[in-house]
Structure formats: structure tokens, C-alpha cells
Amino acid sequence: MEIEKLTILGFNEPSITMLLDILNSKGLYPSIEIINNLGLLPTKKYEHPKFNIEITNNMDINKKMVTLGVVKPKIRKIVSNVFELNKDTLLVNLISDNSDISNTVKLGDGIVINTLVSIAGHTTIGDFVFINRNVSIGHHTVIGKYTTINPGVNIAGNVTIGEGCQIGIGANIIDGVKIGDNTIIGAGSLVTKNIPDNVVAYGNPCKIIRKNET
């Protein structure tokens, strides 16, 4: 994949660092345009020794190669709605070459997959999903749009994770579990039973703590 210029929508330092690390691992050094006039996050200067980075207020993304530069599912959804991202937008999937993804996996658009990720066969990954490093995803799993999978997560087979979820660092999700939309699973949790929509849950075993009102 050749990328001469990449437009990143929104700014979040962990996300930007992750994107640039993936590009660097591929030996790709496009000029980077970060559009960050959305009023969602503070604008700040960002420098990198290998990339020419410009932070702009340009809202025109017509025929540009685009990815999202924010981590939280709610913010990513807002950003995508502001820019009216759809199948006609040139959304880029940034996937580390050091990840192992079965050729039967179905990938949406605008996906970011960091290093040392393993995704087994017949899994479906929705649009705008962020998967961080050292994640294992089992067969026939479905992950909904905008979801963030943090480092060290292990997801067994036949799991369903809804849209807009956050799965915390080192969480373990056993076979056949379903997690509802907009739900947060805390770091280190062991998820053995289904978790509904719009809740915060954590622990070993994972239990519902409160509603997710963020």
C-alpha cells in the first residue's frame, strides 16, 4: 500500500503514536496532516523525527487517505459523524506487519491493528476498530464498530463484542460470551458471562458495577 499523504482526523497522543509506529514498521513515511479543530481535544504541537507533521484546520477530506487519530470509542464516533465518513471516504486500514491475521477474517474500514495481534479464522472486525498490541482474538468472533481493544487482551472463540466498547488491558473473555454496545470492561477482568449494553463491568469474575453514562 502506497501512502504519500495521510490525513488524521482528531488528536490523541497514544493514538497518533500508535499510527506512526505502524507506518514506521512498514517503512512508510507519508506527510501527515492532523485535522484538530473539532473542539473535542486540546490542540498541541506534535513532532516526530521521521515524519513531516502539520496540524491544520482544514475540514476538506475529499479524495484524501484518512484515518482516525483518537482512541475513545465515543470520540471516534463523534469525529466520524462530523466528517460524515462513509464508504465513499478513502479510509485506510493500518495493520502492523508483525500481526497474524487469518485470510478468512473480514475487516471493515478505518481499522488500526498494532503489533503482535493474532486474529483467528472467520472473525469479523467492524469499521473504526482499534486493536492494540499483544491481543489474541479467537475464531468466529464479531467485534462491532468503534470498539477499542487494549493491550494484552485475550478473546476466545465465538465471542460477540458490541459497538463502541472498551476492553481493558489484560482482560480475558471466554468462549461464547456476548458483550453489549457501549460497555466498558475493566483491566484484568475475567469475563465468563454475558454483559449487557451501556454498563461498566470488571473483576474476576467480571461483574456489572454501574451504568456507563459517558
Side-chain angles (χ1 to χ4, degrees), residues 161-177:
I161 299 175
E163 294 187 8
C165 294
Q166 295 185 66
I167 311 299
I169 295 172
N172 291 280
I173 303 172
I174 71 165
D175 292 70
V177 163

Side-chain angles (χ1 to χ4, degrees), residues 67-200:
T67 191
L68 300 183
V70 287
V71 173
K72 289 186 177 181
K74 179 180 179 180
I75 303 298
R76 286 212 303 283
K77 187 172 184 179
I78 291 171
V79 171
S80 70
N81 288 338
V82 166
F83 285 94
E84 298 181 348
L85 302 183
N86 53 50
K87 295 296 182 182
D88 295 325
T89 306
L90 300 177
L91 293 169
V92 176
N93 286 347
L94 292 179
I95 301 173
S96 171
D97 291 340
N98 294 322
S99 286
D100 181 16
I101 301 173
S102 168
N103 59 12
T104 61
V105 171
K106 296 180 180 179
L107 297 175
D109 297 315
I111 292 169
V112 177
I113 299 176
N114 208 345
T115 187
L116 301 177
V117 171
S118 175
I119 306 179
H122 305 287
T123 285
T124 300
I125 309 294
D127 297 342
F128 308 114
V129 167
F130 267 44
I131 303 175
N132 216 319
R133 64 189 182 279
N134 295 305
V135 169
S136 177
I137 300 175
H139 62 91
H140 294 90
T141 287
V142 177
I143 299 177
K145 293 172 64 174
Y146 303 109
T147 286
T148 293
I149 310 294
N150 284 296
V153 169
N154 291 297
I155 300 171
N158 292 299
V159 168
T160 300
I161 299 175
E163 294 187 8
C165 294
Q166 295 185 66
I167 311 299
I169 295 172
N172 291 280
I173 303 172
I174 71 165
D175 292 70
V177 163
K178 296 182 179 180
I179 296 173
D181 296 342
N182 306 310
T183 282
I184 297 173
I185 303 297
S189 295
L190 176 61
V191 186
T192 60
K193 297 180 180 179
N194 294 349
I195 306 293
D197 297 348
N198 302 306
V199 298
V200 176

